[in-house]
Each structure stands twice: as C-alpha cells, then as structure tokens.
Amino acid sequence: MWDKAMIDMLLEGIKDTLYMTLLSTFFGYVLGLPLGIALAVTDKEGIQPNAVIYRILDFIVNIVRSIPFLILLILVIPLTRALVGKSYGPTATIVPLTLAAAPFIGRMVESSLKEVDHGVIEAAISMGARTRTIITKVLIGESRTSLLVGVTIVLGTVLGYSAMAGVVGGGGLGDIAIRYGYYRYETEVMIVTLVIIVVLVQLLQWLGMLLSRKLDHRKK
Amino acid sequence: MSNDNNHNKIIRVENLTKTFESKKDSLHALKDVSFSIEKGDIYGIIGLSGAGKSTLVRCLNLLEKPTSGKVIVKDKDLLALSKEELRLERQKIGMIFQHFNLLAQRTVLDNICLPLEIRGIPKKERQAKAMELLKSVGLESKSGAYPSQLSGGQQQRVAIARVLANEPDILLCDEATSALDPQTTKTILDLLLDINRQLGITIVVITHEMRVVKEICKHVAVLDEGILQETGTVSEVFTNPRTHAAKRLIYMGLSEETEEEVAKHVG
Ligand SMILES: Nc1ncnc2c1ncn2[C@@H]1O[C@H](COP(=O)(O)OP(=O)(O)OP(=O)(O)O)[C@@H](O)[C@H]1O
Ligand SMILES: [Mg+2]
C-alpha cells in the first residue's frame, strides 16, 4: 500500500493544503485586517467612535461567522465559479475559505488592537498624531505580538476548515482522508493523513509563538 | 478683564464645566472653573482624589471635551478649531503622565522619535535629534533599551525627552511624579525646573502631593469637588489659605498631622 504513488499523493496533499491555507489566510487578512481595524476604531471606546459603522460591521461579522463552513462553501459556489471558473479543487476552495476566515480575522484583529494601553493612545493624541498614524504606529505597532499569535490561530483554523472542504472535493489532505477513510475504508491512510494535519497545525503554532515571543519587548 | 491683562496669559480657562453623563445620573466633575496661567509660569493644581484635577488638565488639550466654557491657549479658542488645526495646536502642548505611557514595543530612542515621525521629519534627522534629547535627560546609554528595562524615573525622563521633541510652549503634567519614590521625584522636579528656566516652557502640574507644588510651582490653584476654591502664588496660598478646602489640603500636606489636628487648624 505504501508505494510511491501513495507517498506522492500525500505529498501533493500537503502541498495543496498549505497552498489553500496560506493563500486563504493571506486573502482573509486582506479583508479581515481593515475590518478589524474599523471595528476597533469605531467602537465606542475607540479613537474614532461611530456607532452606526460599528453596528453594521459587527452585524455582518456575526452573520458570516454563524454560518457553518460547509454551508457557506455551498452558498458561495456561484461566486467561486465566477472567480475561479470551477467549484472544486484547491484553488476554488480558497474562495469560501477566505470568506469564512475574514470575519474571524476581523474579530481577532479587533481584540488585539483593543488590548493596546489606552494611555499610550492618549499620549499619541496629545502629540497631535493623525488617526492614521495612531492606527499604524501605535495600535498595530504595540499589538504586533498579539496580532502574530492571531495569525497562528487563524492558520490552524483555516487549515482545519480546508480539511472540511475535502467532503466536497476541495483537494488537499482533507480530501484524501475522506476518500480513503470514508469511501474506501482504508483507515490507515486516513490516520496518516490526520497525523500530518495535526503535525502541520502544531508546526505553524510553534513557529508563530516563537516569532511573537522574539518580537515582544514588554518584559525583559 | 482688559486685553492688557490677557496678553501675557498663555492659557485662559473661562467658565469651564464638565459633566459626565451616565444612564443613571450625571457627575459634575468641573463646575464653572475660570482661571488663567501666565507665560513662563509653573502652575500647580492641587486637590484631593476625585476633585477633578485630571479632568481639568485633560480639558487643556481637549483630551476631554468640556461640556461648556472656553479653553483659550495662546489666544486661540481650542473648541473653535477644526480637527486639523487642533491636531497641530496639540503638537505645541506637550503632556506627560503618571504611568509614562511609553510604547512598550519600541526602544527608548524610537519612542523619542515618535513625535518627530508624526511631524514627518526624515529618519536621519529625527534620530540625531532624539539622541540629543536623550543626552539632555542623561540617558544616552539607554538608547537601545526597551521601556520595560528602565526604572520608573528613567521612563519618565524618556517621556520628558519625547515631549520636548516637539519643542512645546506648554507642558501638562498629570501626576507625573506620583508613581515615583521621593528621591526620584526630586530629580524629575529638578528636570522640570530646568526645562522651565532654560526653554521657557510654561508648565502645568497636577498633583495631590503638596511638596511637589512647594518645590517648583510659582502659582497654585486649589480644586475641590469640581470647584476652583482659590488661586494665588504658592506662598500666599500656603501661608494664608482662605478657603476651608485649601486649609484642609495644606495643613494635611505640610506636616504629618493627624486628622484631628487638622480639624483643629481648620476649626
Ligand atoms: N471618563 C469618565 N467618566 C465618568 N466619570 C469620570 C470620568 N473621568 C473622571 N470621572 C469622574 O470625575 C471626577 C473627577 O475625576 P478626576 O480623575 O478628574 O479626579 P482627580 O482629581 O484627577 O483624582 P485623582 O487624584 O484620584 O487622580 C471623579 O468623580 C471621577 O469619577
Ligand atoms: Mg487624576
């Protein structure tokens, strides 16, 4: 059973999974980072409170986040087709993964930015900083370790979701696990695939924590 | 008030009121406060905890927006300024804080660079200037350190260097020495005195420590429950306090008297 074809397939699965995870996380941040910033800034304790904008964004985030991923995946098939040209395979899966990740990322970013000491923000305001400068230099600069921890959590979550997409032929390790474990009863292959998924998540987690600890200067 | 009296006033506060509204009730933190500060002065504002000192000083750069009244700084009514005008005006009104408020993820030097970055000064220039400022507060050896690696007194020095980077006309100090031990307090007060004398910066000092006022202030205002009780030179107010609130504060602060002895003084 463990012939070259099998190993090649697993390697291909790892490649596809990482491809989906990394790209979806990247596009997720393209949407989620501005979203999170907007949430943190317009919150009533934020630097530019705006109840209307906050409530609208908050509502959208909650709605999208409460849709189970598999349902979201099916719901956005028309969009996926329009963007990618087909609705299955790793590249197509990036579309629903990105949409699922964005509001989650928005919340993570929002909570990271809200951790920044209000006194430091006031110091920047008292220096005559623009809102834009406060966002980039104070909010993001001061919360960068927390943001990085957020990235590792997002990577792990997106990787998990990408495996779920295997159910509908999303490609990657999840796809392999489903095909072999569920349809063909080759439990061994499924277990090996799962172990690889767990190891990947651990690796990402470990890397992220290492990096964020290196970048953190709050303690000696 | 005639213009003659006003032209050397760098800060004028007129009928300032601040009310914090909550769902249940409203809290009157400042009630019809009026006073003015001369250019070059070191002006103390004293009062018990909750008197409204922080609220008052935060109204001077509009970190707190007054409910009514006027704050006139260098003949400009701050409440009448546009957002952009206020932003530029704030660059000339420095503020230091009880808990220093340095950026934890930036080195000491980069902290001092922040106000210069805000003003768009090129990197080379701002680093040179920051280094010069760091020297002036005696911390040039700490340029690469992070705030968490410094003592409280050192952090406040960095905060002072940072605030001087904008070459302010006014320096607001909200309990700037309250987190420090007496010895360190002394060195920070000496530094503030130097700044006032050498750079001519007008300093407003908020404190509940009477010795801080005695040490460096020329004028003092007594705030009690949001009401400005009396103002005057430090020697006037300290040797001859007129109001009940001032007497209580000053007799309590001058010696280690017990509450009863204070009560005797106050009568
Ligand atoms: N943002 C706020 N919302 C509601 N109430 C506030 C707010 N800030 C201050 N207050 C209230 O206003 C009053 C004056 O507070 P302030 O902080 O100005 O006092 P203070 O004289 O600086 O006291 P301390 O010496 O303890 O710092 C207090 O009763 C306080 O609870
Ligand atoms: Mg206070």
Side-chain angles (χ1 to χ4, degrees):
Chain A
M1 191 183 82
W2 295 107
D3 50 9
K4 187 167 180 317
M6 177 65 77
I7 292 178
D8 280 351
M9 183 186 69
L10 284 174
L11 284 176
E12 188 71 14
I14 293 174
K15 203 194 82 195
D16 284 348
T17 292
L18 287 177
Y19 165 75
M20 285 187 280
T21 304
L22 293 176
L23 274 174
S24 304
T25 301
F26 173 78
F27 290 123
Y29 269 92
V30 169
L31 297 175
L33 187 64
L35 180 64
I37 291 171
L39 283 165
V41 167
T42 58
D43 181 72
K44 63 178 184 305
E45 309 273 286
I47 51 175
Q48 200 93 255
N50 187 319
V52 176
I53 295 180
Y54 185 85
R55 263 189 233 138
I56 291 172
L57 295 178
D58 187 60
F59 182 72
I60 295 173
V61 166
N62 286 341
I63 291 288
V64 180
R65 284 204 61 197
S66 54
I67 303 173
F69 177 64
L70 279 180
I71 295 177
L72 183 76
L73 196 145
I74 293 161
L75 276 178
V76 300
I77 283 177
L79 177 69
T80 309
R81 282 227 179 85
L83 287 173
V84 186
K86 56 178 186 175
S87 65
Y88 55 90
T91 305
T93 307
I94 289 174
V95 177
L97 275 180
T98 299
L99 289 178
F104 177 57
I105 292 169
R107 279 285 182 244
M108 302 281 283
V109 170
E110 179 191 9
S111 95
S112 291
L113 298 187
K114 281 181 176 171
E115 282 168 26
V116 175
D117 177 15
H118 202 71
V120 178
I121 298 168
E122 287 202 326
I125 295 173
S126 77
M127 284 173 208
R130 288 187 180 84
T131 304
R132 183 162 30 94
T133 317
I134 297 175
I135 291 169
T136 54
K137 298 199 188 274
V138 181
L139 291 182
I140 295 179
E142 284 292 280
S143 64
R144 63 185 186 199
T145 62
S146 168
L147 287 169
L148 255 174
V149 172
V151 172
T152 60
I153 294 172
V154 170
L155 280 171
T157 308
V158 171
L159 200 146
Y161 278 6
S162 83
M164 250 193 263
V167 174
V168 291
L173 292 169
D175 208 332
I176 296 170
I178 298 271
R179 269 187 285 140
Y180 284 78
Y182 189 70
Y183 296 118
R184 295 202 213 161
Y185 300 106
E186 288 185 34
T187 323
E188 247 179 80
V189 180
M190 190 181 71
I191 288 174
V192 170
T193 318
L194 288 181
V195 168
I196 296 174
I197 292 177
V198 169
V199 169
L200 282 179
V201 172
Q202 290 295 323
L203 218 66
L204 289 172
Q205 195 86 4
W206 172 78
L207 213 79
M209 291 300 173
L210 197 80
L211 207 63
S212 77
R213 212 166 308 144
K214 245 193 135 69
L215 280 172
D216 195 357
H217 295 290
R218 276 171 294 184
K219 297 216 171 62
K220 279 172 226 191
Chain B
M1 238 185 266
S2 76
N3 276 338
D4 254 11
N5 276 337
N6 283 342
H7 86 277
N8 63 342
K9 303 290 191 195
I10 193 162
I11 298 174
R12 279 186 287 144
V13 171
E14 294 174 6
N15 310 104
L16 189 69
T17 308
K18 176 71 191 183
T19 308
F20 291 107
E21 301 283 0
S22 71
K23 288 205 179 71
K24 279 184 224 122
D25 57 340
S26 42
L27 194 146
H28 302 282
L30 295 174
K31 300 168 194 161
D32 196 22
V33 170
S34 300
F35 68 105
S36 56
I37 299 176
E38 273 170 34
K39 199 170 178 311
D41 202 349
I42 303 185
Y43 198 99
I45 299 172
I46 55 175
L48 294 172
S49 184
K53 306 182 294 293
S54 296
T55 307
L56 178 54
V57 79
R58 290 160 56 81
C59 281
L60 299 183
N61 60 359
L62 297 199
L63 272 185
E64 206 78 72
K65 199 174 170 298
T67 307
S68 67
K70 276 187 180 168
V71 178
I72 298 163
V73 175
K74 289 184 285 172
D75 294 324
K76 285 189 190 129
D77 181 352
L78 292 190
L79 285 154
L81 298 181
S82 70
K83 207 179 157 213
E84 183 64 12
E85 285 169 333
L86 174 63
R87 192 178 75 72
L88 294 174
E89 215 50 52
R90 277 179 174 149
Q91 296 184 347
K92 292 291 173 191
I93 311 174
M95 189 167 199
I96 58 173
F97 306 84
Q98 179 170 5
H99 299 294
F100 326 124
N101 296 348
L102 298 173
L103 278 74
Q105 308 288 15
R106 281 187 176 223
T107 63
V108 161
L109 195 72
D110 287 343
N111 260 286
I112 302 175
C113 283
L114 181 63
L116 303 167
E117 280 170 46
I118 288 169
R119 272 168 46 210
I121 310 259
K123 187 167 183 181
K124 262 223 163 91
E125 210 176 307
R126 66 178 184 242
Q127 288 194 327
K129 170 131 194 200
M131 202 62 209
E132 193 185 303
L133 286 160
L134 201 52
K135 269 190 201 134
S136 74
V137 297
L139 284 174
E140 61 267 45
S141 64
K142 297 287 185 187
S143 64
Y146 287 88
S148 64
Q149 298 166 324
L150 302 184
S151 71
Q154 290 172 328
Q155 288 188 57
Q156 197 60 292
R157 280 172 181 276
V158 174
I160 290 171
R162 181 175 71 173
V163 89
L164 292 179
N166 272 343
E167 293 165 9
D169 305 309
I170 298 168
L171 177 56
L172 308 175
C173 310
D174 188 1
E175 303 276 6
T177 56
S178 299
L180 306 174
D181 63 53
Q183 205 127 26
T184 314
T185 294
K186 177 91 175 72
T187 64
I188 295 293
L189 293 180
D190 287 344
L191 182 59
L192 291 177
L193 260 179
D194 271 359
I195 288 168
N196 171 259
R197 287 189 188 137
Q198 286 171 17
L199 306 173
I201 297 175
T202 308
I203 302 182
V204 183
V205 177
I206 299 297
T207 185
H208 63 269
E209 297 174 302
M210 297 311 121
R211 51 179 290 251
V212 169
V213 175
K214 280 199 295 168
E215 199 104 18
I216 65 169
C217 294
K218 287 185 205 140
H219 290 91
V220 65
V222 180
L223 196 65
D224 189 58
E225 293 183 356
I227 297 168
L228 197 69
Q229 298 284 348
E230 61 183 276
T231 61
T233 65
V234 170
S235 57
E236 271 167 25
V237 174
F238 273 66
T239 52
N240 190 18
R242 284 170 286 122
T243 56
H244 182 82
K247 283 179 194 167
R248 212 174 52 161
L249 211 57
I250 283 155
Y251 293 135
M252 225 166 19
L254 278 181
S255 61
E256 304 291 274
E257 288 167 312
T258 60
E259 285 284 336
E260 292 129 67
E261 282 171 288
V262 173
K264 248 191 289 170
H265 269 296
V266 175

